[in-house]
Amino acid sequence: MIDGNNIPYKNFAIKSCDYITQVNALDFLEPTLWPLILKEYTRIARKMIYIRVNPEKVFEQNRHFLDDFKADGWQLVLQKKSHYKWRAL
């Protein structure tokens, strides 16, 4: 078990997972850290990152952190309501 706010995730090596899926958990982490958490996911993942957030007040107030996220070598391929998917290029 790890604390999602405690970045970097030292238990995971670079490109150690093909896919990262996070469902209904990001909104429990500090919203100002969302871009850093996503950046850490791009360090760990090889192929794809999928995030689904509870479409509640916390998400609506902070969705810009996900809407605006960009990382070298990654492309946002799904942005629908509270579903986001980035693919490695």
Side-chain angles (χ1 to χ4, degrees):
M1 176 117 170
I2 64 171
D3 176 353
N5 288 319
N6 192 6
I7 303 164
Y9 302 148
K10 296 177 183 177
N11 295 342
F12 296 96
I14 295 171
K15 306 296 182 205
S16 60
C17 303
D18 284 335
Y19 304 94
I20 293 180
T21 301
Q22 187 182 66
V23 178
N24 298 341
L26 190 66
D27 42 322
F28 292 102
L29 302 175
E30 173 57 42
T32 59
L33 293 179
W34 290 3
L36 294 174
I37 292 166
L38 290 172
K39 186 71 173 170
E40 183 66 359
Y41 291 168
T42 65
R43 181 187 73 81
I44 297 168
R46 280 190 286 266
K47 298 179 181 181
M48 186 141 334
I49 299 165
Y50 172 76
I51 306 254
R52 181 176 149 219
V53 183
N54 287 316
E56 297 178 9
K57 191 173 186 177
V58 170
F59 169 66
E60 290 302 328
Q61 291 173 342
N62 297 287
R63 71 177 300 142
H64 63 278
F65 289 122
L66 298 176
D67 292 341
D68 299 338
F69 179 75
K70 292 183 181 21
D72 289 339
W74 289 86
Q75 177 183 20
L76 181 64
V77 294
L78 173 68
Q79 181 182 11
K80 182 177 180 183
K81 294 187 181 179
S82 58
H83 299 263
Y84 291 81
K85 188 187 300 183
W86 290 269
R87 180 183 66 207
L89 299 174

